[in-house]
Amino acid sequence: MITPMFNEKWGNIKALAGANRLVQHLRSKGVCVALASNSPRENIRAKIACHPGWEESFVAIVGGDEVTRGKPAPDIFVEAAKRMNSDPSNCIVIEDSLQGVLAGKAADMHVIAVPSIPKSTAEFGAADEVINSLLDLRLEKWGLTPFVDWIEDTLPIEPWFISGPVIKGYGRGSRVLGIPTANLPADKFSDILSEHTSGVYFGWAGLRKQGIYKMVMSIGWNPYFHNSEKTIEPWILHDFSEDFYGEELSLAIIGYIRPEANFSSVESLIERIREDGRIAEKALDLPIYACYKDLPYLRRDQND
Ligand code: RBF
Ligand code: MG
């Protein structure tokens, strides 16, 4: 009884940020790719059916029902390699779960972990590399043809849009760091934020009364709240003479710069954020990013 309901839901699951880009890239370069999951094969099919071009991109699909032991046992990956006619030692596993990382290593493969649970990096020590997001994947490190879509230290992304009242930070952040951020209430955006990994992004910011400005922002985990709470901290690259708490801020987020990082000192954090600002400032003049400045979304009255 439950299965048909789930089958319907699987069609609505959004791909991870960067997943489609990766699948298309590997396919265009003729790299053999298999999908190996503990889920039953039929469920895997239902899950990927709604993503155009995915099914054709996998040379093999191995479900948990096709092997005796699921992950963390190596069986599923060993079987996938066999179906690709590849030696396990030539295979790279990309995994979001700890079980999967262990299975990949047990299969004698290279393993890149992209943990789906935030802040769990330490547990993924068995992996050969741990990255925050598929956007951070550098294929050249693994002897594969690199992505060619990075431009001047930025990665164009599928744009996304958020707007809300500026809640805090403008003025206070500026006293501590010299970097005033016009924060948005993250709890209002939990759905859209769960689709986007933490990191440094940029784009255009529209303030109803002031106009449209360049913007660089951090999306990150707020240590004062649960691990599942992210903060959105846009730094509008303009000197304002006044605060504007409560005012509607609309953001078009169109590019990615880097993952969140830890710094040994406040000075190095500030230096890095300033560098992000310079990168965004320059990139936003490029035609592929500049064109979004005129979006009606950035000018709209939120009460409309
Ligand atoms: N905080 C971090 O701990 N690591 C980062 O890599 C980081 N990058 C940021 C990048 C930008 C563009 C901005 C605006 C903020 C960033 N922050 C980062 C958050 C910063 O620490 C925060 O804005 C201040 O602590 C004020 O709340
Ligand atoms: Mg998995």
Side-chain angles (χ1 to χ4, degrees):
M1 286 305 281
I2 289 172
T3 309
M5 286 172 61
F6 274 133
N7 276 334
E8 230 161 81
K9 276 202 162 175
W10 278 321
N12 296 325
I13 293 176
K14 281 219 162 190
L16 280 180
N20 197 46
R21 168 180 180 251
L22 175 62
V23 168
Q24 305 307 339
H25 175 83
L26 293 175
R27 187 185 189 191
S28 76
K29 301 298 169 199
V31 178
C32 248
V33 183
L35 185 53
S37 166
N38 271 359
S39 303
R41 189 189 168 89
E42 263 323 296
N43 297 359
I44 301 172
R45 287 207 172 279
K47 284 182 201 177
I48 64 170
C50 61
H51 299 285
W54 281 29
E55 200 153 358
E56 309 88 275
S57 299
F58 298 109
V59 170
I61 296 175
V62 187
D65 52 340
E66 298 180 78
V67 292
T68 327
R69 300 174 302 167
K71 304 172 190 178
D75 306 29
I76 229 165
F77 287 129
V78 171
E79 178 62 24
K82 197 191 281 175
R83 292 192 200 171
M84 290 192 293
N85 291 317
S86 299
D87 192 83
S89 62
N90 282 333
C91 295
I92 302 166
V93 167
I94 301 176
E95 258 296 343
D96 69 324
S97 76
L98 193 55
Q99 305 259 65
V101 168
L102 298 173
K105 289 316 295 178
D108 196 24
M109 297 178 177
H110 306 277
V111 178
I112 303 170
V114 191
S116 51
I117 308 154
K119 302 246 172 197
S120 57
T121 311
E123 299 163 43
F124 284 80
D128 296 290
E129 187 185 18
V130 182
I131 54 178
N132 180 62
S133 149
L134 286 176
L135 300 179
D136 301 318
L137 191 57
R138 301 292 175 149
L139 294 172
E140 60 275 26
K141 279 192 191 173
W142 302 93
L144 292 164
T145 313
F147 291 110
V148 290
D149 46 2
W150 282 87
I151 316 168
E152 298 190 10
D153 297 325
T154 68
L155 177 66
I157 57 170
E158 187 87 26
W160 50 288
F161 306 92
I162 49 175
S163 62
V166 175
I167 47 163
K168 61 163 187 163
Y170 217 92
R172 272 193 302 176
S174 74
R175 226 167 299 138
V176 185
L177 296 177
I179 295 156
T181 55
N183 300 359
L184 286 176
D187 53 316
K188 272 184 62 180
F189 307 106
S190 51
D191 280 358
I192 193 154
L193 284 183
S194 66
E195 282 172 33
H196 299 278
T197 44
S198 58
V200 179
Y201 297 82
F202 65 95
W204 296 99
L207 280 163
R208 202 158 66 198
K209 294 188 189 124
Q210 286 86 349
I212 295 175
Y213 304 97
K214 292 175 175 176
M215 175 279 300
V216 62
M217 66 191 264
S218 112
I219 297 177
W221 303 96
N222 194 325
Y224 299 108
F225 295 99
H226 307 176
N227 265 356
S228 57
E229 289 288 347
K230 284 175 177 172
T231 61
I232 312 168
E233 299 187 290
W235 177 26
I236 301 174
L237 301 169
H238 178 81
D239 286 324
F240 294 96
S241 50
E242 286 165 46
D243 284 340
F244 39 81
Y245 299 107
E247 201 171 318
E248 284 295 327
L249 170 65
S250 301
L251 302 176
I253 297 131
I254 58 181
Y256 175 77
I257 298 179
R258 63 173 177 91
E260 263 195 313
N262 281 320
F263 294 89
S264 51
S265 67
V266 180
E267 289 74 24
S268 54
L269 169 65
I270 293 171
E271 191 35 56
R272 180 62 243 208
I273 297 176
R274 297 208 163 278
E275 174 70 8
D276 296 328
R278 285 190 291 272
I279 290 170
E281 179 97 47
K282 193 159 166 256
L284 285 162
D285 287 332
L286 296 169
I288 53 151
Y289 296 124
C291 59
Y292 290 99
K293 189 183 180 181
D294 301 317
L295 281 180
Y297 179 84
L298 297 172
R299 285 165 214 281
R300 81 195 177 121
D301 187 322
Q302 304 307 320
N303 299 318
D304 283 356

